[in-house]
Amino acid sequence: MNSHKVLLTTLSLLSLVTLQAEAAENISMRKGVSFVEDKDNDFPIIADKLEDVHIEPGKTNFIFFGASGDLNTARQAKRLVGSYNKLRDRDVKFIVINVDKPASKEAEGLIKKYYKGYIPCQTVIDSGGTTTWSKVGEVSENEVTKQISKNLKR
């Protein structure tokens, strides 16, 4: 009986360790995105696991808010992809939210809490849950990468 409890406890702890959120992965630009005219009706970013918008404690979280068919979002999305490619192997979770079509109630909650009302909007949350940077509008890829990197554990 005692060994049964030990086994159950061990399995429970193991499941907690392996249940970390996955985050958006393989972030890239959708083919055919225009950077010169508002002719697109689709969101410019494609990725695996876009539905995972859970803020992960103990990890740097970067949230990108954009909209479909918007030139500013498309241009900033391209910069986001560049930052993602530089930092994809670091301890950062990338969260991408289309404010026109939130993927879930949790995405709607992040919009209410962190979105500033203008697109694009990007926010960095440190491993302790504190917002350390938030910027509306277009920002250089170097600045985005710098703001995320400032919060990463060395």
Side-chain angles (χ1 to χ4, degrees), residues 62 122-125 131-135 139 143-144 147 151:
F62 174 79
Q122 40 273 305
T123 300
V124 176
I125 301 166
T131 300
T132 59
W133 181 75
S134 187
K135 184 74 173 171
V139 182
E143 183 66 17
V144 172
Q147 292 300 328
N151 291 279

Side-chain angles (χ1 to χ4, degrees), residues 18-37:
T18 58
L19 281 177
Q20 288 188 354
E22 295 295 326
E25 296 177 348
N26 302 315
I27 299 173
S28 63
M29 294 297 293
R30 185 179 46 75
K31 295 208 183 306
V33 172
S34 175
F35 298 103
V36 293
E37 60 183 300

